[in-house]
Amino acid sequence: QVQLVESGGGLVQPGGSLRLSCAASGSIARFYTMAWFRQAPGKQRELVATITNNGNTDYADSVKGRFTVSRDNAKNTMNLQMNNLKPEDTAVYYCRGIQGARDYWGQGTQVTVSS
């Protein structure tokens, strides 16, 4: 059983940056696809970004050009660099690893964008 733990969240002003990390207790090479999701208060969880084992990435339209997802299989981590943050980016951010039919989620890290 692999555990995923997010870190790096916090309070930032609009226009600022944060870097989120998702650390796994075991190898992430087993996850062909990893992803970041977020859930704002009163809203459904939404997909932010995905990255495959061969480095292919995809982003929600709302974050394209501002967020960059990366993964380091050797360090068993996935990161999300978030630039030019907006108040509407405020949410709990979750990482997810997909291994076949199995689904792994972290507990989430809070990101608050406010002046």
Side-chain angles (χ1 to χ4, degrees):
Q1 187 81 2
V2 176
Q3 306 293 325
L4 301 178
V5 179
E6 302 93 339
S7 63
L11 173 64
V12 63
Q13 292 187 342
S17 298
L18 282 175
R19 183 176 178 84
L20 304 183
S21 291
C22 172
S25 60
S27 173
I28 66 169
R30 71 185 73 192
F31 301 131
Y32 179 75
T33 301
M34 296 192 75
W36 286 97
F37 282 74
R38 67 186 180 187
Q39 187 165 18
K43 294 187 176 181
Q44 289 190 329
R45 193 172 294 190
E46 64 174 357
L47 178 64
V48 175
T50 62
I51 184 166
T52 64
N53 246 338
N54 56 16
N56 289 334
T57 59
D58 198 11
Y59 299 91
D61 287 343
S62 59
V63 306
K64 280 181 181 177
R66 300 188 297 122
F67 290 11
T68 302
V69 61
S70 62
R71 65 190 285 174
D72 187 335
N73 285 4
K75 295 182 178 180
N76 296 319
T77 58
M78 176 179 64
N79 298 303
L80 185 68
Q81 178 65 42
M82 305 186 296
N83 298 327
N84 190 22
L85 283 160
K86 304 176 180 180
E88 51 264 42
D89 295 318
T90 295
V92 178
Y93 283 71
Y94 299 89
C95 66
R96 179 189 185 195
I98 303 167
Q99 181 186 6
R102 301 192 69 176
D103 213 2
Y104 298 84
W105 290 87
Q107 293 300 305
T109 185
Q110 176 71 46
V111 171
T112 302
V113 184
S114 175
S115 55

Coordinates of all heavy atoms in Angstrom, one line a residue, residues 11-108:
L11 N -0.8 30.3 2.5 CA -1.5 31.6 2.2 C -0.6 32.4 1.3 O 0.6 32.6 1.6 CB -1.8 32.3 3.4 CG -2.4 33.7 3.2 CD1 -3.8 33.7 2.5 CD2 -2.6 34.4 4.6
V12 N -1.1 32.9 0.2 CA -0.3 33.6 -0.8 C -1.1 34.8 -1.3 O -2.3 34.6 -1.5 CB 0.3 32.7 -1.9 CG1 -0.8 32.1 -2.7 CG2 1.3 33.5 -2.7
Q13 N -0.5 35.9 -1.7 CA -1.2 37.0 -2.3 C -1.5 36.7 -3.7 O -0.7 36.0 -4.4 CB -0.4 38.3 -2.1 CG -0.3 38.7 -0.6 CD 0.3 40.1 -0.5 OE1 1.0 40.6 -1.5 NE2 0.1 40.8 0.6
P14 N -2.5 37.3 -4.3 CA -2.7 37.2 -5.7 C -1.5 37.6 -6.5 O -0.8 38.6 -6.2 CB -3.9 38.2 -6.0 CG -4.6 38.2 -4.7 CD -3.6 38.1 -3.6
G15 N -1.2 36.8 -7.5 CA 0.0 37.1 -8.3 C 1.2 36.3 -7.8 O 2.3 36.3 -8.5
G16 N 1.1 35.7 -6.6 CA 2.2 35.0 -6.0 C 2.4 33.6 -6.6 O 1.6 33.2 -7.4
S17 N 3.3 32.9 -6.0 CA 3.6 31.5 -6.4 C 3.7 30.5 -5.2 O 4.0 31.0 -4.1 CB 5.0 31.5 -7.2 OG 4.9 32.3 -8.3
L18 N 3.4 29.3 -5.5 CA 3.6 28.2 -4.5 C 4.0 27.0 -5.3 O 3.7 26.8 -6.5 CB 2.3 27.9 -3.8 CG 1.9 28.8 -2.6 CD1 0.5 28.4 -2.1 CD2 2.9 28.8 -1.5
R19 N 4.7 26.1 -4.6 CA 5.1 24.8 -5.2 C 4.6 23.7 -4.3 O 5.1 23.6 -3.1 CB 6.6 24.8 -5.4 CG 7.1 23.5 -6.0 CD 8.7 23.6 -6.2 NE 9.2 22.4 -6.8 CZ 9.3 22.1 -8.1 NH1 8.8 23.0 -9.0 NH2 9.8 21.0 -8.6
L20 N 3.7 22.9 -4.8 CA 3.2 21.8 -4.1 C 4.0 20.6 -4.4 O 4.5 20.4 -5.5 CB 1.7 21.5 -4.4 CG 0.8 22.7 -4.2 CD1 -0.7 22.2 -4.6 CD2 0.9 23.3 -2.8
S21 N 4.1 19.7 -3.4 CA 4.8 18.4 -3.6 C 3.9 17.3 -3.1 O 3.1 17.5 -2.2 CB 6.1 18.4 -2.8 OG 7.1 19.3 -3.4
C22 N 4.0 16.2 -3.8 CA 3.3 14.9 -3.4 C 4.4 13.9 -3.3 O 5.0 13.5 -4.2 CB 2.3 14.6 -4.5 SG 1.5 13.0 -4.2
A23 N 4.6 13.4 -2.0 CA 5.6 12.4 -1.7 C 5.0 11.1 -1.5 O 4.0 11.0 -0.8 CB 6.4 12.9 -0.5
A24 N 5.5 10.1 -2.1 CA 5.0 8.7 -2.0 C 5.9 7.9 -1.1 O 7.1 8.0 -1.1 CB 4.9 8.1 -3.4
S25 N 5.2 7.0 -0.4 CA 6.0 6.1 0.6 C 6.7 4.9 -0.2 O 7.5 4.2 0.4 CB 5.0 5.5 1.6 OG 4.0 4.8 1.0
G26 N 6.3 4.8 -1.5 CA 6.9 3.8 -2.3 C 7.1 4.3 -3.7 O 7.0 5.5 -3.9
S27 N 7.5 3.4 -4.6 CA 7.8 3.8 -5.9 C 6.6 4.4 -6.7 O 5.5 3.8 -6.6 CB 8.3 2.6 -6.7 OG 8.5 3.0 -8.1
I28 N 6.7 5.5 -7.3 CA 5.6 6.1 -8.1 C 5.7 5.6 -9.5 O 4.8 5.9 -10.3 CB 5.6 7.6 -8.1 CG1 6.8 8.2 -8.7 CG2 5.4 8.1 -6.6 CD1 6.7 9.7 -8.9
A29 N 6.8 4.8 -9.9 CA 6.9 4.3 -11.2 C 5.7 3.4 -11.6 O 5.3 3.2 -12.7 CB 8.2 3.6 -11.4
R30 N 5.0 2.8 -10.5 CA 3.9 2.0 -10.7 C 2.7 2.8 -11.2 O 1.7 2.2 -11.8 CB 3.5 1.3 -9.4 CG 2.9 2.3 -8.4 CD 2.6 1.6 -7.1 NE 3.9 1.4 -6.4 CZ 4.0 0.6 -5.3 NH1 2.9 0.0 -4.8 NH2 5.1 0.5 -4.7
F31 N 2.7 4.1 -11.0 CA 1.6 4.9 -11.5 C 1.8 5.4 -12.9 O 2.6 6.3 -13.1 CB 1.3 6.1 -10.5 CG 1.1 5.7 -9.1 CD1 1.8 6.3 -8.1 CD2 0.1 4.8 -8.8 CE1 1.6 6.0 -6.8 CE2 -0.1 4.4 -7.5 CZ 0.6 5.1 -6.4
Y32 N 1.1 4.8 -13.9 CA 1.3 5.4 -15.2 C 0.9 6.8 -15.3 O 1.6 7.7 -15.8 CB 0.6 4.6 -16.2 CG 0.8 5.1 -17.6 CD1 1.9 4.9 -18.3 CD2 -0.2 5.9 -18.3 CE1 2.2 5.4 -19.6 CE2 0.0 6.4 -19.5 CZ 1.2 6.2 -20.2 OH 1.4 6.7 -21.4
T33 N -0.2 7.1 -14.6 CA -0.7 8.5 -14.6 C -0.8 9.0 -13.1 O -1.2 8.3 -12.3 CB -2.1 8.6 -15.2 OG1 -2.0 8.2 -16.5 CG2 -2.6 10.0 -15.1
M34 N -0.3 10.2 -12.9 CA -0.5 10.9 -11.6 C -1.2 12.2 -12.0 O -1.1 12.7 -13.1 CB 0.9 11.1 -10.9 CG 1.5 9.8 -10.5 SD 2.9 10.1 -9.4 CE 2.0 10.4 -7.8
A35 N -1.8 12.7 -10.9 CA -2.6 13.9 -11.2 C -2.8 14.8 -9.9 O -2.6 14.3 -8.8 CB -4.0 13.5 -11.7
W36 N -3.0 16.0 -10.2 CA -3.4 17.0 -9.1 C -4.9 17.3 -9.3 O -5.3 17.6 -10.5 CB -2.6 18.2 -9.2 CG -1.2 18.1 -8.7 CD1 -0.1 17.9 -9.4 CD2 -0.7 18.1 -7.3 NE1 1.0 17.7 -8.6 CE2 0.6 17.9 -7.3 CE3 -1.4 18.2 -6.1 CZ2 1.4 17.8 -6.2 CZ3 -0.7 18.2 -5.0 CH2 0.7 18.0 -5.0
F37 N -5.6 17.3 -8.3 CA -7.0 17.7 -8.2 C -7.1 18.8 -7.2 O -6.2 19.0 -6.3 CB -8.0 16.6 -7.8 CG -8.2 15.6 -8.9 CD1 -7.3 14.7 -9.3 CD2 -9.5 15.6 -9.6 CE1 -7.5 13.7 -10.3 CE2 -9.8 14.6 -10.6 CZ -8.8 13.7 -10.9
R38 N -8.2 19.6 -7.2 CA -8.5 20.5 -6.2 C -10.0 20.6 -5.9 O -10.8 20.3 -6.8 CB -8.0 21.9 -6.6 CG -8.7 22.6 -7.7 CD -8.0 23.9 -8.1 NE -8.6 24.5 -9.2 CZ -8.1 25.6 -9.8 NH1 -6.9 26.1 -9.4 NH2 -8.8 26.2 -10.8
Q39 N -10.3 21.0 -4.7 CA -11.7 21.1 -4.3 C -11.9 22.4 -3.5 O -11.3 22.5 -2.4 CB -12.2 19.9 -3.5 CG -13.7 19.9 -3.3 CD -14.2 18.6 -2.8 OE1 -13.4 17.7 -2.3 NE2 -15.5 18.4 -2.9
A40 N -12.7 23.3 -4.0 CA -13.0 24.6 -3.4 C -14.2 24.4 -2.5 O -15.0 23.5 -2.8 CB -13.2 25.7 -4.4
P41 N -14.4 25.2 -1.5 CA -15.6 25.0 -0.6 C -16.9 25.1 -1.4 O -17.1 26.0 -2.3 CB -15.5 26.2 0.3 CG -14.0 26.5 0.4 CD -13.5 26.2 -1.0
G42 N -17.7 24.1 -1.2 CA -19.0 24.1 -1.9 C -19.0 23.7 -3.4 O -20.0 23.7 -4.0
K43 N -17.8 23.3 -3.8 CA -17.7 22.9 -5.2 C -17.2 21.4 -5.3 O -16.7 20.8 -4.4 CB -16.7 23.8 -6.0 CG -17.2 25.2 -6.1 CD -16.3 26.0 -7.0 CE -16.8 27.4 -7.2 NZ -16.0 28.2 -8.1
Q44 N -17.4 20.8 -6.5 CA -16.9 19.5 -6.7 C -15.4 19.5 -6.9 O -14.8 20.5 -7.4 CB -17.6 18.9 -8.0 CG -19.1 18.6 -7.7 CD -19.7 17.8 -8.9 OE1 -19.3 17.9 -10.0 NE2 -20.7 16.9 -8.6
R45 N -14.8 18.3 -6.6 CA -13.4 18.2 -6.9 C -13.2 18.2 -8.4 O -13.9 17.6 -9.2 CB -12.9 16.8 -6.3 CG -11.4 16.7 -6.3 CD -11.0 15.4 -5.5 NE -11.4 15.5 -4.1 CZ -11.0 14.7 -3.2 NH1 -10.2 13.7 -3.5 NH2 -11.3 14.8 -1.9
E46 N -12.1 19.0 -8.8 CA -11.9 19.1 -10.2 C -10.4 18.8 -10.6 O -9.5 19.0 -9.7 CB -12.2 20.5 -10.7 CG -11.3 21.6 -10.1 CD -11.6 23.0 -10.7 OE1 -12.4 23.1 -11.7 OE2 -10.9 23.9 -10.3
L47 N -10.2 18.3 -11.8 CA -8.9 17.9 -12.2 C -8.1 19.2 -12.6 O -8.6 20.1 -13.3 CB -9.0 17.0 -13.5 CG -7.7 16.6 -14.1 CD1 -6.9 15.7 -13.2 CD2 -8.0 15.8 -15.4
V48 N -6.9 19.3 -12.1 CA -6.0 20.4 -12.4 C -5.0 20.1 -13.4 O -4.8 20.8 -14.4 CB -5.3 20.9 -11.1 CG1 -4.3 22.0 -11.4 CG2 -6.3 21.3 -10.0
A49 N -4.3 19.0 -13.2 CA -3.2 18.6 -14.1 C -2.9 17.1 -14.0 O -3.1 16.5 -13.0 CB -1.9 19.4 -13.8
T50 N -2.4 16.5 -15.1 CA -2.0 15.1 -15.1 C -0.6 15.0 -15.8 O -0.2 15.9 -16.6 CB -3.0 14.2 -15.9 OG1 -3.0 14.7 -17.3 CG2 -4.4 14.3 -15.4
I51 N 0.0 13.9 -15.4 CA 1.4 13.7 -16.0 C 1.5 12.1 -16.0 O 1.2 11.4 -15.1 CB 2.5 14.3 -15.2 CG1 3.8 14.1 -15.9 CG2 2.5 13.9 -13.7 CD1 5.0 15.0 -15.4
T52 N 2.0 11.7 -17.2 CA 2.2 10.2 -17.3 C 3.6 9.9 -17.1 O 4.5 10.7 -16.9 CB 1.8 9.8 -18.8 OG1 2.7 10.4 -19.7 CG2 0.3 10.2 -19.1
N53 N 3.9 8.6 -17.1 CA 5.2 8.1 -16.8 C 6.2 8.5 -17.9 O 7.4 8.6 -17.7 CB 5.3 6.6 -16.7 CG 5.6 6.1 -15.3 OD1 6.2 6.8 -14.6 ND2 5.2 4.9 -15.0
N54 N 5.7 8.8 -19.1 CA 6.6 9.2 -20.2 C 6.6 10.7 -20.3 O 7.1 11.3 -21.3 CB 6.3 8.6 -21.5 CG 4.8 8.8 -21.9 OD1 4.2 9.7 -21.4 ND2 4.3 8.0 -22.9
G55 N 6.1 11.4 -19.3 CA 6.2 12.9 -19.3 C 5.1 13.7 -20.0 O 5.2 14.9 -20.0
N56 N 4.1 13.0 -20.5 CA 3.0 13.8 -21.2 C 2.2 14.4 -20.1 O 1.9 13.8 -19.1 CB 2.2 12.8 -22.0 CG 2.9 12.3 -23.2 OD1 3.8 13.0 -23.8 ND2 2.5 11.2 -23.7
T57 N 1.9 15.7 -20.3 CA 1.1 16.5 -19.4 C -0.2 17.0 -20.0 O -0.3 17.2 -21.2 CB 1.9 17.7 -18.8 OG1 2.3 18.5 -19.9 CG2 3.2 17.2 -18.1
D58 N -1.1 17.3 -19.1 CA -2.3 18.0 -19.6 C -2.8 18.8 -18.4 O -2.6 18.5 -17.2 CB -3.4 16.9 -19.9 CG -4.5 17.5 -20.8 OD1 -4.4 18.6 -21.3 OD2 -5.5 16.8 -21.0
Y59 N -3.5 19.9 -18.8 CA -3.9 20.9 -17.8 C -5.4 21.3 -18.0 O -5.9 21.4 -19.1 CB -3.0 22.1 -17.8 CG -1.6 21.9 -17.6 CD1 -0.7 21.6 -18.6 CD2 -1.1 21.9 -16.3 CE1 0.6 21.3 -18.3 CE2 0.2 21.7 -16.0 CZ 1.1 21.4 -17.0 OH 2.4 21.1 -16.8
A60 N -6.0 21.7 -16.9 CA -7.3 22.3 -17.0 C -7.1 23.7 -17.7 O -6.1 24.4 -17.5 CB -7.9 22.5 -15.6
D61 N -8.1 24.1 -18.4 CA -8.0 25.4 -19.1 C -7.7 26.6 -18.2 O -7.0 27.5 -18.5 CB -9.2 25.7 -19.9 CG -9.4 24.8 -21.2 OD1 -8.3 24.2 -21.6 OD2 -10.5 24.7 -21.7
S62 N -8.3 26.5 -17.0 CA -8.2 27.6 -16.0 C -6.8 27.8 -15.5 O -6.5 28.8 -14.9 CB -9.1 27.3 -14.9 OG -8.8 26.1 -14.2
V63 N -5.9 26.7 -15.7 CA -4.5 26.9 -15.1 C -3.4 26.8 -16.2 O -2.3 27.0 -15.9 CB -4.2 25.8 -14.0 CG1 -5.3 25.8 -13.0 CG2 -4.1 24.4 -14.7
K64 N -3.8 26.6 -17.4 CA -2.8 26.6 -18.5 C -2.0 27.8 -18.6 O -2.6 28.9 -18.5 CB -3.5 26.3 -19.8 CG -3.9 24.9 -20.1 CD -4.6 24.7 -21.5 CE -5.0 23.3 -21.7 NZ -5.7 23.1 -22.9
G65 N -0.7 27.7 -18.7 CA 0.2 28.8 -18.8 C 0.6 29.3 -17.4 O 1.5 30.2 -17.3
R66 N 0.0 28.9 -16.3 CA 0.3 29.3 -15.0 C 0.9 28.2 -14.1 O 1.7 28.4 -13.3 CB -0.9 29.9 -14.3 CG -1.5 31.1 -15.0 CD -2.6 31.8 -14.2 NE -3.7 30.9 -13.9 CZ -4.2 30.6 -12.7 NH1 -3.6 31.0 -11.6 NH2 -5.2 29.7 -12.6
F67 N 0.4 27.0 -14.3 CA 0.8 25.8 -13.5 C 1.6 24.9 -14.3 O 1.4 24.7 -15.5 CB -0.4 25.1 -13.0 CG -1.3 25.8 -12.0 CD1 -1.1 27.1 -11.7 CD2 -2.3 25.1 -11.3 CE1 -1.9 27.7 -10.7 CE2 -3.0 25.7 -10.3 CZ -2.8 27.0 -10.0
T68 N 2.6 24.2 -13.7 CA 3.4 23.2 -14.3 C 3.6 22.0 -13.4 O 4.0 22.1 -12.3 CB 4.8 23.8 -14.6 OG1 4.7 25.0 -15.4 CG2 5.7 22.8 -15.4
V69 N 3.2 20.9 -14.0 CA 3.3 19.6 -13.2 C 4.6 18.9 -13.6 O 4.9 18.9 -14.8 CB 2.0 18.7 -13.4 CG1 1.9 18.3 -14.9 CG2 2.1 17.5 -12.5
S70 N 5.2 18.2 -12.7 CA 6.4 17.5 -13.0 C 6.4 16.3 -12.0 O 5.7 16.3 -11.0 CB 7.7 18.3 -12.8 OG 7.8 18.8 -11.5
R71 N 7.2 15.3 -12.4 CA 7.4 14.1 -11.5 C 8.8 13.7 -11.6 O 9.5 13.8 -12.6 CB 6.4 13.0 -11.9 CG 6.6 12.4 -13.2 CD 5.5 11.4 -13.6 NE 5.6 10.2 -12.9 CZ 4.6 9.2 -13.0 NH1 3.6 9.4 -13.7 NH2 4.7 8.1 -12.3
D72 N 9.3 13.1 -10.5 CA 10.6 12.5 -10.4 C 10.5 11.1 -9.8 O 10.4 10.9 -8.6 CB 11.5 13.4 -9.5 CG 13.0 13.0 -9.5 OD1 13.2 11.8 -9.8 OD2 13.8 13.8 -9.2
N73 N 10.5 10.2 -10.7 CA 10.3 8.8 -10.3 C 11.4 8.3 -9.4 O 11.2 7.5 -8.5 CB 10.2 7.8 -11.5 CG 8.8 8.0 -12.2 OD1 8.0 8.8 -11.8 ND2 8.6 7.2 -13.2
A74 N 12.6 8.8 -9.6 CA 13.8 8.4 -8.7 C 13.6 8.9 -7.3 O 14.0 8.2 -6.3 CB 15.1 9.0 -9.3
K75 N 12.9 10.0 -7.1 CA 12.7 10.6 -5.8 C 11.2 10.3 -5.3 O 10.9 10.7 -4.2 CB 12.9 12.1 -5.8 CG 14.4 12.5 -6.0 CD 14.6 14.0 -6.0 CE 16.0 14.3 -6.2 NZ 16.2 15.8 -6.2
N76 N 10.5 9.6 -6.1 CA 9.1 9.3 -5.7 C 8.3 10.5 -5.4 O 7.5 10.5 -4.3 CB 9.1 8.2 -4.6 CG 9.7 6.9 -5.0 OD1 9.4 6.5 -6.2 ND2 10.5 6.3 -4.2
T77 N 8.4 11.5 -6.1 CA 7.7 12.8 -5.9 C 7.0 13.3 -7.2 O 7.5 13.1 -8.3 CB 8.5 13.9 -5.3 OG1 9.6 14.1 -6.2 CG2 9.1 13.5 -3.9
M78 N 5.9 14.0 -7.0 CA 5.3 14.8 -8.1 C 5.1 16.2 -7.5 O 4.8 16.4 -6.4 CB 4.0 14.2 -8.4 CG 3.2 15.0 -9.5 SD 1.6 14.3 -10.0 CE 0.7 14.4 -8.4
N79 N 5.4 17.2 -8.4 CA 5.3 18.6 -8.0 C 4.3 19.3 -8.8 O 4.0 18.9 -10.0 CB 6.6 19.2 -8.1 CG 7.7 18.6 -7.2 OD1 7.5 18.5 -6.0 ND2 8.7 18.1 -7.8
L80 N 3.8 20.4 -8.3 CA 3.0 21.3 -9.0 C 3.5 22.8 -8.8 O 3.3 23.3 -7.6 CB 1.5 21.2 -8.6 CG 0.5 22.1 -9.5 CD1 0.4 21.5 -10.9 CD2 -0.9 22.0 -8.8
Q81 N 4.1 23.4 -9.7 CA 4.5 24.8 -9.6 C 3.4 25.7 -10.1 O 2.9 25.5 -11.2 CB 5.7 25.0 -10.5 CG 6.2 26.4 -10.5 CD 6.8 26.9 -9.1 OE1 7.5 26.1 -8.5 NE2 6.4 28.1 -8.7
M82 N 2.9 26.5 -9.2 CA 1.8 27.4 -9.4 C 2.2 28.8 -9.4 O 2.7 29.3 -8.4 CB 0.7 27.1 -8.4 CG 0.3 25.7 -8.2 SD -1.1 25.4 -7.1 CE -0.4 26.0 -5.6
N83 N 2.1 29.5 -10.5 CA 2.5 30.9 -10.6 C 1.3 31.8 -10.9 O 0.3 31.3 -11.4 CB 3.5 31.1 -11.8 CG 4.8 30.3 -11.5 OD1 5.2 30.1 -10.4 ND2 5.4 29.8 -12.6
N84 N 1.5 33.0 -10.7 CA 0.4 34.0 -11.0 C -0.9 33.5 -10.4 O -2.0 33.5 -11.1 CB 0.2 34.2 -12.5 CG -0.7 35.4 -12.8 OD1 -0.9 36.3 -12.0 ND2 -1.3 35.4 -14.0
L85 N -0.9 33.2 -9.1 CA -2.1 32.6 -8.5 C -3.2 33.7 -8.4 O -2.9 34.9 -8.2 CB -1.7 32.1 -7.1 CG -1.0 30.8 -7.1 CD1 -0.2 30.5 -5.8 CD2 -2.0 29.6 -7.4
K86 N -4.4 33.1 -8.4 CA -5.6 34.0 -8.4 C -6.5 33.5 -7.2 O -6.4 32.4 -6.8 CB -6.4 33.8 -9.7 CG -5.6 34.2 -10.9 CD -6.4 33.9 -12.2 CE -5.6 34.2 -13.5 NZ -6.4 34.0 -14.7
P87 N -7.3 34.4 -6.7 CA -8.2 34.0 -5.6 C -9.0 32.8 -6.0 O -9.3 31.9 -5.1 CB -9.1 35.2 -5.4 CG -8.3 36.4 -5.9 CD -7.4 35.8 -7.0
E88 N -9.4 32.6 -7.2 CA -10.2 31.4 -7.6 C -9.4 30.1 -7.6 O -10.0 29.0 -7.8 CB -10.8 31.6 -9.0 CG -9.9 32.0 -10.1 CD -9.9 33.5 -10.3 OE1 -9.9 34.3 -9.3 OE2 -9.8 34.0 -11.5
D89 N -8.1 30.2 -7.3 CA -7.3 29.0 -7.2 C -7.4 28.5 -5.7 O -6.8 27.4 -5.4 CB -5.8 29.3 -7.5 CG -5.6 29.6 -9.0 OD1 -6.2 29.0 -9.8 OD2 -4.8 30.6 -9.3
T90 N -8.0 29.2 -4.9 CA -8.1 28.8 -3.5 C -8.9 27.5 -3.4 O -10.0 27.3 -3.9 CB -8.9 29.8 -2.7 OG1 -8.1 31.0 -2.6 CG2 -9.1 29.4 -1.2
A91 N -8.3 26.5 -2.8 CA -8.9 25.1 -2.7 C -8.0 24.2 -1.9 O -6.8 24.6 -1.6 CB -9.1 24.6 -4.1
V92 N -8.5 23.1 -1.6 CA -7.6 22.0 -1.1 C -7.1 21.2 -2.3 O -7.9 20.8 -3.1 CB -8.4 21.1 -0.1 CG1 -7.4 19.9 0.3 CG2 -8.9 21.8 1.1
Y93 N -5.8 21.0 -2.4 CA -5.2 20.4 -3.5 C -4.8 18.9 -3.1 O -4.2 18.7 -2.1 CB -4.0 21.1 -4.0 CG -4.3 22.4 -4.8 CD1 -4.9 23.5 -4.1 CD2 -4.1 22.4 -6.2 CE1 -5.3 24.6 -4.9 CE2 -4.5 23.5 -6.9 CZ -5.1 24.6 -6.2 OH -5.4 25.8 -7.0
Y94 N -5.2 18.0 -4.0 CA -4.9 16.6 -3.7 C -4.1 16.0 -4.8 O -4.3 16.3 -6.0 CB -6.3 15.8 -3.7 CG -7.2 16.2 -2.6 CD1 -8.2 17.3 -2.9 CD2 -7.2 15.6 -1.4 CE1 -9.1 17.7 -1.9 CE2 -8.1 16.0 -0.4 CZ -9.0 17.0 -0.7 OH -9.9 17.4 0.3
C95 N -3.2 15.0 -4.5 CA -2.6 14.3 -5.5 C -3.2 12.9 -5.6 O -3.7 12.4 -4.6 CB -1.1 14.2 -5.3 SG -0.5 13.3 -3.8
R96 N -3.1 12.3 -6.8 CA -3.7 11.0 -7.1 C -2.7 10.2 -7.9 O -2.1 10.7 -8.8 CB -5.0 11.3 -7.8 CG -5.7 10.0 -8.2 CD -6.9 10.3 -9.2 NE -7.7 9.2 -9.5 CZ -8.6 9.2 -10.5 NH1 -8.7 10.2 -11.3 NH2 -9.3 8.1 -10.7
G97 N -2.7 8.9 -7.6 CA -1.9 8.0 -8.4 C -2.8 6.9 -8.9 O -3.6 6.3 -8.1
I98 N -2.7 6.5 -10.1 CA -3.5 5.5 -10.7 C -2.7 4.4 -11.2 O -1.7 4.5 -12.0 CB -4.3 6.1 -11.9 CG1 -5.1 7.3 -11.5 CG2 -5.2 5.1 -12.6 CD1 -5.7 8.2 -12.6
Q99 N -3.0 3.2 -10.6 CA -2.3 2.0 -11.0 C -3.3 1.0 -11.4 O -3.9 0.3 -10.6 CB -1.5 1.4 -9.8 CG -0.7 0.2 -10.1 CD 0.0 -0.4 -8.9 OE1 -0.2 0.1 -7.8 NE2 0.8 -1.4 -9.1
G100 N -3.6 0.9 -12.7 CA -4.6 0.0 -13.2 C -5.9 0.4 -12.7 O -6.4 1.5 -12.8
A101 N -6.6 -0.5 -12.0 CA -7.9 -0.3 -11.4 C -7.8 0.3 -10.0 O -8.8 0.7 -9.4 CB -8.7 -1.5 -11.3
R102 N -6.6 0.4 -9.5 CA -6.4 1.0 -8.1 C -6.1 2.5 -8.2 O -5.5 3.0 -9.1 CB -5.3 0.2 -7.4 CG -5.5 -1.3 -7.3 CD -4.5 -1.9 -6.4 NE -4.8 -1.5 -5.0 CZ -4.1 -2.1 -4.0 NH1 -3.2 -2.9 -4.2 NH2 -4.4 -1.7 -2.7
D103 N -6.6 3.1 -7.1 CA -6.6 4.6 -7.0 C -6.1 5.0 -5.7 O -6.6 4.5 -4.7 CB -8.1 5.0 -7.2 CG -8.2 6.3 -7.9 OD1 -7.2 6.9 -8.3 OD2 -9.4 6.8 -8.0
Y104 N -5.1 5.8 -5.7 CA -4.5 6.3 -4.4 C -4.6 7.8 -4.4 O -4.3 8.5 -5.3 CB -3.0 5.9 -4.4 CG -2.8 4.4 -4.4 CD1 -2.7 3.8 -5.6 CD2 -2.6 3.7 -3.2 CE1 -2.5 2.4 -5.6 CE2 -2.4 2.4 -3.2 CZ -2.3 1.7 -4.4 OH -2.0 0.4 -4.4
W105 N -5.0 8.3 -3.2 CA -5.2 9.7 -3.0 C -4.4 10.2 -1.7 O -4.3 9.4 -0.7 CB -6.6 10.1 -2.7 CG -7.5 10.0 -3.9 CD1 -8.1 8.8 -4.4 CD2 -7.9 11.0 -4.9 NE1 -8.9 9.1 -5.5 CE2 -8.7 10.5 -5.8 CE3 -7.5 12.4 -5.0 CZ2 -9.3 11.2 -6.9 CZ3 -8.1 13.1 -6.0 CH2 -8.9 12.5 -6.9
G106 N -3.9 11.4 -1.7 CA -3.4 12.0 -0.5 C -4.5 12.7 0.3 O -5.6 12.7 -0.1
Q107 N -4.1 13.2 1.4 CA -5.0 13.9 2.3 C -5.3 15.3 1.9 O -6.3 15.9 2.4 CB -4.5 13.8 3.7 CG -4.5 12.4 4.3 CD -5.9 11.7 4.3 OE1 -6.8 12.3 4.8 NE2 -6.0 10.6 3.6
G108 N -4.5 15.9 1.1 CA -4.7 17.3 0.6 C -3.9 18.3 1.4 O -3.5 18.1 2.5

